[in-house]
Amino acid sequence: MTDAVLTHSDSRMGALPGWRVAALVAGVVAVALAISWIVPGGWDYPTQAIIPFAEWISAFMQWLKATFTWLTRGLADLVNIPLQLAIGFLAKGYRIYLTEGFITLPRFSWVGVCAVAAFVGYRFGGLKLALLSGLSFLAIALFRQWDSAMLTLALILVCVPICVATGLLVGIWGYLNPKANRVLIMPALDLLQTIPTFAYLIPMLLLFGNSPVSALLATGLFATPPMVRATVLGLSKVPQDIKDFADMAGCTRRQKLWRVLVPSAKPSLMLGVNQVIMLALNMVIISSMIGAGGLGYDVLLALRALKVGQAMEAGLAIVVLAIVLDRVSQAAAQQRPEQDAMQKPWFQRHASLIAILAVLLVTTLASLGLPAFGKVPNEITFTTAPAWKAAVDWVTVNYFDVIEAVRITFLLYVLNPLRAFFEGLPWLGVVLLLAFAAWRLGGIWLAVIVALLTAFCATTGLWVQTMATLYLCGVAALIAAAIGIPIGVWASRSDRVEKVVTPFIDTLQTIPSFCFIIPVVMLFRVGDVTALIATVAFAVVPAIRYTNHGIRQVPHELIEAGTAAGCTKRQLFWRVQLPVAMPEIMLGLNQTILLSLSMIVICAMIGTRDLGQEVFKALSKADSGKGLVAGLAIAFIGIIADRLITAWVDRLKAKRGLA
Amino acid sequence: MTDVKRPVKLSCRNLWKVFGAGAEEFMRRSNGAASAQALSEARLIGAVRQASIDVHEGEIFIVMGLSGSGKSTLLRCLSRLIEPTYGDVNFDGRDFLKASDTELIEIRRRKMGMVFQHFALLPHLTVLENVGFPLSVQGVPKTELKKRAQAVIDLVGLKGREHHYPRELSGGQQQRVGIARSLAVEPEIWFLDEPFSALDPLIRREMQSELMRLQNVLKKTIVFITHDFDEAIKLADRIAIMKDGEIIQIGAPEELVLNPATDYVAEFTRDVNRAKVMSAQSLMRASAAGGQHAGKVDAKAKVETFAAAIVGANLPFAVTDGNGRLLGEVTPQAVIDLLAGRHVKQAQP
Ligand SMILES: Nc1ncnc2c1ncn2[C@@H]1O[C@H](COP(=O)(O)OP(=O)(O)O)[C@@H](O)[C@H]1O
Ligand SMILES: [Mg+2]
């Protein structure tokens, strides 16, 4: 393998020398442009030829709504039961209706919840996690975010078990039935994970109204896919020996599944649970637009009213909540059963649970007599909002000119021309070019799929918006890569740098996308520049992570072989490490693009003019047809990018004998 | 053990496992006889080809071959973890391949035990729960389960570790758990697929002795797989040698050493310590009438056990059968030749 890699690194573009590749590309581009010019309607898609997908979908949704009211009602009522319980106990107090009037059970005391948070942290991760978790909850209480945070938490607590159970069952089905997995489940997951979050909201809004139930279901759709993937992967990864053992022990199929396979796959499954939690939090925030309420709603309201301080505070509360949930669920995933646990009587085995319930009960009872336990007393809370506002004001007063100059220059000389260029591209030419690239990279089927998906964006009359999205997403991904890859390279070459970078990107990755917008908006106000900066900050993580990882895992023998062959350090990097790490770096780039796309769409809230804006507008009008079509167009951009890059990576790997 | 014919417990006839698209169809067309070349032309992999073995009750039957020679595949066919492509398998005199799913579950629950190379312990269960697992899937009541699991745990010498988790045990201990677990249901036939290959040499030797100790008590029918010829010689009543999916010779260790069927087998046996393998019987010659004997050995005694004595005495020993009847004699010279590695020809009694 050593030799293969060293020789192949010189022929990166296959057998063709550089200038012939360039000529080929130029030729193909020219031909594509020429065809678009010649074919009538090949440049700008003719309005009269627009296929009314949007109207069809709207009609279908109306029919669905009318026909299945009983089903949606039933589902809503069903989901509402645990939801009201959770909201009641954590946030608002639970009402029990009697024959006449009702009694309200008090919500859990904030003191008790903080104590429980600390205790759970301690149970899974020792003193350090106890402090992190307990103090974070305390901070949320003291910064006056308690009510909203508990509402958000309630939604997550109800949503996560539902997602996990659903994901587990679907994943098991996929594992047991590889064909269904390949043709149905995996493509559906791809689609679910690339459709922008807003687009989920619309059909939910239509079917279930503006309510926490809609928010919950949208969140479920968005957060379940990683659980399915983790389940399929985890079950497949159970060693063959263990599967054979189950058969030889005479397990029935059910026993084999539930008593052998699922428990053996637990580490993978728990990783899935962690991802579900993080995605659920992310989505619950976004779902605040359709009635979820909670912290996301606070941010949204504050941003709309340009109340910088409030937005920042609520945003920080989200971040804190996210970090706690992430760390605690990761620690829980690494929990192993205690030795001798089964020997103890039940009340010792469930000691933690009993303690938690006792703490909640005692503090909540106490809150009946002591109001300070029920509601965080105003005297001990404080707000940082004025400080944030003052800081922003100060920056604005002192640096307004500089910031404005940077913003305007960037907008006028870089972004606007690029946007004009992209929006001016002929749809037919782009379809042809992408199909050609797909054909070269992955064969005829990929070409057909790519052509169809691209054509969808044009035939629905959304070509200009599609190109605007592509431009924003492309620029953001490019900048993120240009920042992230060098940092990744740097981290890979120095353990010290890696040590600094890792916790930083871990935290960045934990923060819900929504929160990136807040600080940027304060300084740069709304518009493309803000969207770009927020997107880059959000999407830079995988570029760093994959690059670092890819270079670090270059086999040691290769480097030694290179050194023995007399490579300088520089040559070693450019001709051995980088080429070998290339597939991994490309995968990072792929992730960066997908993250950029999802973020760009959210930036519709701050006034970008692209597909995201279409979805956003549709959301405010509850127009499911328009919203879904624009959402699909966005998903298709993601899918095309993903497929092309994956095909390219596969080819790179095959060529290097690494596949 | 091999001289008394015991009933056959498990056998297969012309058994094939062929991997690849259309393997079944291909084997049906070739009527259970396909050359290696025909297989490779059809782009099929013949993992096991025309294997026929008989495993007798109470014997240790060893399948020996290099990695990739098809040992595991053969074992998986015999236990029906995978379905053979062609051929017959008989278990307890019944067509095992015809057993329905429920019958199969029942047979595996009560009559079969298996030990795996990488232990295959369930990570989320303690030693006691792991060992009790096969009982618990049968629905054995809790108290009885605990009693029976504890008994086998004691048997393999793991008393005191019942409540440990697998990850807290060393490799050797983990395999003891694997062994205990496979014995918990008191199986009639015991499959072991390279059970000691993942262990360090010292531990491996210890486990081999442990296995012999257990077998002296339990007298199971054993199919044992290994790629280690020394291990095979040490444990086997009979050995089947596999190469490229085919069984090229079956015989007692002594037979393999004395009469290797092919150069391939000879290659394996060349460095074997013969004194450990050969018995008095195989060095025996007809006793000269009125000849002097310095001592008496059993026909089945390994040369190793009396070599020092006979060379010291410098006189032939009488060879007797189980009932003390004189069969012939062994000369010191024959033993010295054997120890020196000079060619030994089987003497006719
Ligand atoms: N599921 C399978 N598909 C294709 N080939 C297989 C499969 N399982 C085993 N083989 C092939 O069958 C041969 C024998 O494998 P195996 O029985 O595992 O050998 P051993 O246990 O002697 O090391 C090997 O060449 C292996 O590649
Ligand atoms: Mg094997």
Side-chain angles (χ1 to χ4, degrees):
Chain A
M1 197 177 81
T2 315
D3 290 346
V5 173
L6 287 178
T7 45
H8 271 295
S9 59
D10 287 347
S11 54
R12 231 162 291 168
M13 282 307 280
L16 296 175
W19 63 269
R20 281 185 53 187
V21 174
L24 185 73
V25 171
V28 173
V29 170
V31 170
L33 289 181
I35 292 177
S36 327
W37 186 251
I38 296 165
V39 175
W43 202 278
D44 295 321
Y45 194 80
T47 330
Q48 62 275 20
I50 289 173
I51 305 173
F53 286 114
E55 281 154 41
W56 296 343
I57 291 179
S58 289
F60 175 71
M61 290 304 294
Q62 286 302 341
W63 173 82
L64 208 61
K65 185 181 172 174
T67 320
F68 289 103
T69 317
W70 55 273
L71 186 66
T72 52
R73 284 263 167 78
L75 195 60
D77 289 346
L78 192 69
V79 173
N80 218 1
I81 297 170
L83 196 60
Q84 287 313 322
L85 268 173
I87 293 178
F89 278 117
L90 280 172
K92 293 184 172 160
Y94 189 65
R95 280 184 180 181
I96 299 178
Y97 291 91
L98 305 172
T99 36
E100 44 206 281
F102 56 83
I103 49 172
T104 308
L105 296 184
R107 65 173 188 186
F108 291 144
S109 156
W110 64 277
V111 182
V113 175
C114 286
V116 166
F119 179 73
V120 170
Y122 179 76
R123 181 74 179 59
F124 290 131
L127 203 58
K128 241 170 101 179
L129 198 56
L131 280 178
L132 175 78
S133 168
L135 290 181
S136 297
F137 271 70
L138 191 62
I140 288 174
L142 297 187
F143 284 106
R144 297 183 190 165
Q145 305 296 320
W146 189 258
D147 294 359
S148 298
M150 286 306 111
L151 199 59
T152 300
L153 189 64
L155 270 167
I156 290 172
L157 286 184
V158 175
C159 188
V160 168
I162 298 177
C163 294
V164 167
T166 317
L168 188 68
L169 291 180
V170 176
I172 287 173
W173 179 41
Y175 167 73
L176 294 177
N177 192 340
K179 193 158 173 217
N181 190 42
R182 211 179 47 248
V183 301
L184 188 66
I185 300 178
M186 284 304 151
L189 294 189
D190 287 344
L191 197 64
L192 280 179
Q193 287 189 302
T194 35
I195 288 184
T197 44
F198 287 162
Y200 283 110
L201 303 182
I202 304 169
M204 293 302 146
L205 195 58
L206 197 80
L207 293 176
F208 299 99
N210 194 338
S211 73
V213 172
S214 301
L216 190 89
L217 292 174
T219 305
L221 269 183
F222 181 69
T224 306
M227 191 66 207
V228 180
R229 286 186 205 276
T231 307
V232 174
L233 192 72
L235 292 178
S236 325
K237 269 197 334 201
V238 171
Q240 187 61 40
D241 265 9
I242 288 195
K243 293 174 183 166
D244 286 349
F245 160 69
D247 289 330
M248 286 310 289
C251 289
T252 59
R253 288 170 56 142
R254 181 171 298 182
Q255 284 173 328
K256 180 176 177 182
L257 180 62
W258 292 107
R259 299 189 56 180
V260 176
L261 296 182
V262 169
S264 299
K266 194 179 152 218
S268 302
L269 299 182
M270 291 305 288
L271 284 182
V273 173
N274 172 262
Q275 290 191 31
V276 168
I277 294 177
M278 300 320 288
L279 284 189
L281 177 61
N282 203 337
M283 187 67 186
V284 162
I285 302 296
I286 291 168
S287 307
S288 57
M289 292 178 198
I290 56 167
L295 291 172
Y297 193 61
D298 294 353
V299 174
L300 201 67
L301 281 187
L303 276 186
R304 284 206 185 123
L306 280 180
K307 287 189 180 160
V308 169
Q310 273 85 334
M312 196 68 194
E313 275 196 322
L316 279 177
I318 297 173
V319 173
V320 166
L321 199 59
I323 291 177
V324 171
L325 287 174
D326 180 52
R327 299 298 186 270
V328 170
S329 62
Q330 274 190 24
Q334 282 159 11
Q335 278 291 298
R336 290 157 154 183
E338 241 179 300
Q339 196 188 318
D340 286 348
M342 296 320 279
Q343 292 306 99
K344 295 175 182 164
W346 70 270
F347 57 87
Q348 277 185 25
R349 267 186 277 148
H350 301 290
S352 308
L353 194 63
I354 296 172
I356 288 174
L357 290 180
V359 167
L360 287 179
L361 192 69
V362 169
T363 49
T364 307
L365 282 180
S367 71
L368 293 179
L370 289 169
F373 271 51
K375 193 169 171 307
V376 189
N378 272 336
E379 302 83 63
I380 61 168
T381 63
F382 38 93
T383 172
T384 48
W388 291 110
K389 183 156 172 31
V392 171
D393 285 349
W394 181 81
V395 171
T396 323
V397 169
N398 289 291
Y399 294 99
F400 181 78
D401 297 340
V402 183
I403 293 175
E404 251 335 72
V406 169
R407 192 174 81 90
I408 303 262
T409 316
F410 195 50
L411 201 60
L412 279 185
Y413 295 102
V414 181
L415 294 186
N416 283 353
L418 268 175
R419 171 190 283 274
F421 171 74
F422 269 91
E423 289 182 354
L425 286 176
W427 71 273
L428 191 58
V430 174
V431 170
L432 289 174
L433 275 180
L434 285 177
F436 180 77
W439 173 62
R440 289 300 304 255
L441 290 173
I444 191 72
W445 275 113
L446 189 64
V448 171
I449 292 173
V450 165
L452 283 178
L453 296 189
T454 317
F456 175 87
C457 300
T459 53
T460 46
L462 291 170
W463 186 248
V464 173
Q465 289 90 333
T466 304
M467 285 296 110
T469 307
L470 199 63
Y471 129 81
L472 267 175
C473 173
V475 173
L478 259 181
I479 299 178
I483 297 172
I485 292 177
I487 295 181
V489 170
W490 193 26
S492 75
R493 296 165 80 78
S494 149
D495 287 340
R496 243 193 351 205
V497 176
E498 192 195 31
K499 254 208 178 110
V500 177
V501 169
T502 306
F504 185 68
I505 56 179
D506 280 349
T507 310
L508 268 188
Q509 205 163 37
T510 321
I511 300 175
S513 44
F514 201 71
C515 299
F516 283 84
I517 299 177
I518 305 166
V520 191
V521 162
M522 293 183 197
L523 297 179
F524 291 90
R525 292 181 292 153
V526 298
D528 281 7
V529 176
T530 307
L532 263 183
I533 296 175
T535 305
V536 168
F538 182 65
V540 77
V541 174
I544 301 177
R545 198 187 288 281
Y546 280 71
T547 306
N548 176 29
H549 186 243
I551 295 182
R552 277 180 183 266
Q553 69 171 15
V554 171
H556 205 66
E557 310 92 71
L558 279 186
I559 298 179
E560 278 168 7
T563 318
C567 289
T568 61
K569 276 208 122 166
R570 214 191 159 79
Q571 285 172 323
L572 210 56
F573 175 74
W574 286 107
R575 309 188 52 163
V576 180
Q577 287 174 303
L578 203 59
V580 175
M582 208 39 149
E584 185 96 3
I585 297 176
M586 297 292 296
L587 285 181
L589 191 65
N590 193 9
Q591 290 295 312
T592 293
I593 293 176
L594 292 180
L595 285 189
S596 301
L597 194 59
S598 71
M599 187 68 187
I600 280 295
V601 174
I602 293 174
C603 288
M605 289 196 310
I606 49 172
T608 53
R609 287 172 292 148
D610 58 359
L611 287 172
Q613 196 59 41
E614 291 295 313
V615 182
F616 201 57
K617 279 194 301 204
L619 179 61
S620 61
K621 289 188 223 141
D623 183 342
S624 51
K626 274 217 174 108
L628 275 184
V629 164
L632 281 177
I634 294 168
F636 291 168
I637 295 179
I639 290 174
I640 292 170
D642 178 65
R643 288 303 125 86
L644 288 182
I645 292 178
T646 312
W648 191 8
V649 169
D650 287 348
R651 249 171 59 118
L652 271 181
K653 279 191 182 163
K655 218 155 69 180
R656 307 235 159 100
L658 297 171
Chain B
M1 266 181 221
T2 40
D3 45 356
V4 190
K5 274 284 173 238
R6 296 164 188 248
V8 172
K9 186 80 187 169
L10 175 73
S11 69
C12 64
R13 286 287 169 276
N14 193 21
L15 191 72
W16 292 72
K17 181 68 201 183
V18 178
F19 290 109
E24 298 261 329
E25 170 64 24
F26 178 86
M27 285 310 298
R28 222 175 314 120
R29 256 191 293 115
S30 41
N31 268 324
S35 66
Q37 200 191 347
L39 279 171
S40 72
E41 272 167 17
R43 293 169 174 266
L44 297 171
I45 302 169
V48 171
R49 295 184 286 140
Q50 52 187 38
S52 299
I53 59 171
D54 291 307
V55 183
H56 298 275
E57 258 173 37
E59 80 167 330
I60 302 186
F61 187 91
I62 291 200
V63 181
M64 201 314 287
L66 297 181
S67 157
S69 57
K71 309 177 296 290
S72 298
T73 309
L74 174 62
L75 189 74
R76 289 155 62 78
C77 287
L78 291 178
S79 54
R80 267 188 79 188
L81 281 173
I82 49 177
E83 295 296 328
T85 320
Y86 193 92
D88 302 309
V89 178
N90 260 279
F91 180 67
D92 270 346
R94 289 181 50 211
D95 187 344
F96 189 44
L97 299 182
K98 291 250 167 65
S100 68
D101 281 357
T102 40
E103 282 169 324
L104 193 59
I105 287 181
E106 205 46 35
I107 290 174
R108 285 172 172 168
R109 282 183 174 181
R110 315 228 172 250
K111 299 190 172 173
M112 291 183 166
M114 192 183 269
V115 181
F116 300 86
Q117 179 173 1
H118 298 290
F119 322 138
L121 302 181
L122 300 179
H124 61 291
L125 300 182
T126 62
V127 170
L128 189 75
E129 290 162 340
N130 259 296
V131 173
F133 185 88
L135 297 171
S136 119
V137 294
Q138 300 178 15
V140 172
K142 257 205 175 133
T143 44
E144 192 196 332
L145 181 147
K146 248 185 166 166
K147 213 178 70 201
R148 285 173 66 182
Q150 187 65 51
V152 270
I153 289 174
D154 295 349
L155 184 68
V156 299
L158 280 178
K159 203 183 181 95
R161 315 236 172 225
E162 296 82 358
H163 303 301
H164 284 61
Y165 282 90
R167 68 191 134 82
E168 299 167 328
L169 303 177
S170 69
Q173 288 172 330
Q174 291 192 30
Q175 195 56 298
R176 280 171 198 265
V177 179
I179 288 175
R181 182 177 67 180
S182 66
L183 289 175
V185 296
E186 295 170 8
E188 294 169 11
I189 188 156
W190 198 18
F191 298 111
L192 300 100
D193 188 353
E194 307 211 20
F196 308 142
S197 298
L199 305 176
D200 294 336
L202 273 181
I203 311 286
R204 192 182 311 162
R205 226 168 297 152
E206 187 188 314
M207 294 294 287
Q208 288 162 356
S209 310
E210 180 79 16
L211 185 82
M212 292 311 277
R213 182 180 71 77
L214 285 172
Q215 174 64 355
N216 281 335
V217 183
L218 303 171
K219 308 241 185 303
K220 303 279 181 209
T221 308
I222 294 179
V223 180
F224 186 109
I225 289 193
T226 181
H227 65 250
D228 176 355
F229 194 64
D230 289 332
E231 184 169 78
I233 297 252
K234 186 167 172 187
L235 303 175
D237 290 317
R238 288 191 304 142
I239 301 176
I241 297 204
M242 278 190 91
K243 178 173 186 279
D244 302 335
E246 272 181 310
I247 296 180
I248 49 181
Q249 190 173 10
I250 303 181
E254 218 166 342
E255 288 168 53
L256 298 184
V257 172
L258 285 175
N259 296 317
T262 65
D263 290 349
Y264 185 76
V265 181
E267 193 63 26
F268 273 116
T269 59
R270 209 179 49 191
D271 296 328
V272 169
N273 181 349
R274 272 139 221 277
K276 278 191 176 167
V277 180
M278 307 274 254
S279 57
Q281 203 169 20
S282 56
L283 291 184
M284 186 174 72
R285 64 174 193 192
S287 182
Q292 269 203 318
H293 292 146
K296 237 173 34 174
V297 291
D298 190 84
K300 280 192 281 188
K302 300 284 183 236
V303 173
E304 173 186 60
T305 58
F306 61 88
I310 196 173
V311 173
N314 205 14
L315 271 178
F317 275 23
V319 179
T320 57
D321 68 7
N323 304 323
R325 215 158 45 87
L326 183 72
L327 296 175
E329 64 177 16
V330 183
T331 63
Q333 192 57 44
V335 172
I336 290 170
D337 284 347
L338 178 83
L339 292 176
R342 278 191 281 269
H343 183 69
V344 224
K345 187 137 179 53
Q346 184 163 28
Q348 296 304 313

